[in-house]
Amino acid sequence: MGRLTGGDPSLLRRINSAVVLHSLRGADSPTLTDLTRITGLSRPTVEGVVEGLIEAGLVVEAGPDEGEVRRQGRPARRFRFRAEAGHLLGVEIGAHRIAALLSGLDGRIIGAGSREVSEQASADDRLERVRAVVADLLRRTGVPRSSLRAVGVGSPGIVEADGTVRLSTALPGWTGLPLGERLRRSFRCPVLVENDANAAAVAEHWKGSATDSDDIVFVLAGLSPGAGSLIGGRLHRGYGGAAGEIGALHLLGRDDTPEKLLSTTGEPLHPLDEQAVADVFALARDGDEGARAAVDRFNTRLVHDVAALVLALDPELVVIGGWAAGLDGVLPPLRDELSRYCLRPPRVTLSLLGEAAVATGALRLALDHVEEQLFAVEGTVTARR
């Protein structure tokens, strides 16, 4: 990196603008004096930057504090970041439902919506359901589509940097789908597509069970499990976006797939039949020996899959999400078995976000993108290579 000499005034202005705007977003209606103290910039510089941000629609003058009004003399001007200057969407495209979260530029959620979708729906039908959920959400919140600055999307499968789904066995017609390109036609703003487990890992780090940990593994548990991981606070995708595909470990000489292991009839469960899975766990809780044996087989496989990642990555924390997070008895065998297989067993906990994890992580994707534009933020957890 070259030394910054001040020879590029436009670069210096952008840096100053980012510093002031970032300070405004983090403060409670600061004055020019406050901003001068927070940023370390001169008062004339701060004043010029603030006026430019007001012209850009990102900052507005706020009313004076009640205490200032009572005092004699003209109160100091106060300013605030206009979170309503733009909006962000986080969308989960799942096998059984479409969910969306809407926020302002500060990431605070102002609306949510979801609709069920058939696991057999075609790619076109599923995308149409996405559009319907978003249209309803924007209508209910009164947010114009033109206000959207970025859209984050969490989807099953291996996702390339341009938003193309290279491989997905969970959704019909999803493999090879240029998902990012298709959605950009609808939103006309940046669309960032991520694997659903990766998005959920980002969400847990932002607002869930992993807010105090930078080295984590999030397991989206199910009959076709996936995992996302953060290393040093940054999302680890791998070279081609396939990191964490633990659902493929049965291909390494293991003939019994998870849907076979959890079956009590000899016939494999359908990988997307969550109710059948819940029924087996319910029977196990009620003492059914066959169901107990099936659950034990499934838990053992899940432990082995998670242990493979734990041994490779040495995370501080493993977060279990997906439908398994709502089933009793998942954590004790995981903790016990990981202590046997792993040199340094990590902490293991359940997701705090539940079924909202993927959409929340997708929203964080959109927020990171906008922050990179507004604040020149470096080192975000979702930054791609």
Side-chain angles (χ1 to χ4, degrees):
M1 294 289 292
R3 184 168 60 91
L4 182 62
T5 63
D8 183 354
S10 64
L11 174 60
L12 192 56
R13 283 195 297 271
R14 291 198 302 272
I15 293 173
N16 290 341
S17 179
V19 169
V20 171
L21 188 59
H22 194 276
S23 300
L24 271 163
R25 195 181 72 160
D28 184 16
S29 300
T31 64
L32 290 175
T33 300
D34 294 332
L35 289 172
T36 299
R37 174 179 51 80
I38 294 170
T39 63
L41 300 172
S42 69
R43 186 183 179 92
T45 296
V46 170
E47 191 167 9
V49 168
V50 168
E51 293 302 326
L53 292 172
I54 290 175
E55 291 179 9
L58 292 171
V59 171
V60 67
E61 189 167 348
D65 286 347
E66 184 177 338
E68 289 182 312
V69 174
R70 292 174 179 172
R71 292 195 297 267
Q72 290 184 349
R74 182 181 177 182
R77 297 172 69 194
R78 292 186 174 274
F79 305 90
R80 70 172 179 84
F81 173 67
R82 291 189 68 238
E84 69 275 18
H87 294 85
L88 311 169
L89 269 176
V91 180
E92 175 190 7
I93 303 178
H96 299 281
R97 74 170 196 145
I98 306 297
L101 297 174
L102 179 69
S103 81
L105 295 181
D106 56 1
R108 295 181 182 179
I109 296 171
I110 60 175
S114 65
R115 291 189 184 182
E116 293 184 356
V117 63
S118 169
E119 65 267 22
Q120 301 302 327
S122 67
D124 287 342
D125 289 344
R126 201 173 298 274
L127 289 175
E128 186 58 39
R129 186 58 58 92
V130 171
R131 298 184 188 99
V133 169
V134 171
D136 178 66
L137 176 56
L138 294 177
R139 178 187 57 78
R140 286 188 288 106
T141 55
V143 172
R145 186 176 293 262
S146 60
S147 177
L148 294 177
R149 293 290 190 95
V151 177
V153 179
S155 166
I158 298 172
V159 181
E160 297 181 348
D162 65 354
T164 299
V165 183
R166 180 152 57 92
L167 176 65
S168 176
T169 59
L171 305 180
W174 222 241
T175 295
L177 181 71
L179 181 56
E181 178 185 332
R182 293 282 298 273
L183 291 175
R184 287 182 198 107
R185 298 174 192 169
S186 299
F187 295 113
R188 300 186 181 279
C189 69
V191 176
L192 304 102
V193 184
E194 188 56 81
N195 168 268
D196 52 359
N198 286 349
V202 169
E204 293 292 337
H205 186 260
W206 182 30
K207 290 188 174 184
S209 297
T211 55
D212 296 327
S213 302
D214 284 340
D215 293 273
I216 73 166
V217 166
F218 176 90
V219 180
L220 195 61
L223 293 182
S224 297
S229 57
L230 302 184
I231 300 175
R234 293 178 63 88
L235 185 61
H236 177 68
R237 295 181 176 87
Y239 179 75
E245 292 295 329
I246 58 176
L249 285 175
H250 70 274
L251 299 175
L252 302 178
R254 294 175 172 180
D255 294 330
D256 289 332
T257 60
E259 51 265 36
K260 289 181 180 178
L261 294 172
L262 202 54
S263 171
T264 59
T265 65
E267 291 296 322
L269 301 180
H270 191 285
L272 300 179
D273 192 345
E274 296 177 2
Q275 185 56 52
V277 172
D279 290 344
V280 173
F281 274 80
L283 287 171
R285 287 195 299 270
D286 292 339
D288 184 278
E289 292 299 326
R292 280 184 173 179
V295 169
D296 287 344
R297 292 194 300 267
F298 174 79
N299 282 340
T300 298
R301 171 59 58 83
L302 182 62
V303 168
H304 290 171
D305 293 346
V306 175
L309 275 179
V310 169
L311 286 169
L313 300 178
D314 186 28
E316 177 187 2
L317 177 68
V318 172
V319 181
I320 306 298
W323 53 256
L327 301 175
D328 295 334
V330 172
L331 291 190
L334 271 174
R335 291 186 178 121
D336 292 344
E337 292 299 299
L338 286 175
S339 67
R340 291 177 53 199
Y341 289 107
C342 300
L343 301 177
R344 192 204 60 78
R347 292 188 292 118
V348 183
T349 188
L350 292 179
S351 165
L352 285 180
L353 299 174
E355 64 178 10
V358 176
T360 301
L363 182 66
R364 181 70 236 190
L365 283 171
L367 181 59
D368 278 349
H369 178 81
V370 169
E371 285 186 342
E372 288 168 4
Q373 293 181 320
L374 295 180
F375 310 129
V377 173
E378 295 180 358
T380 60
V381 297
T382 55
R384 284 197 181 271
R385 291 183 297 109

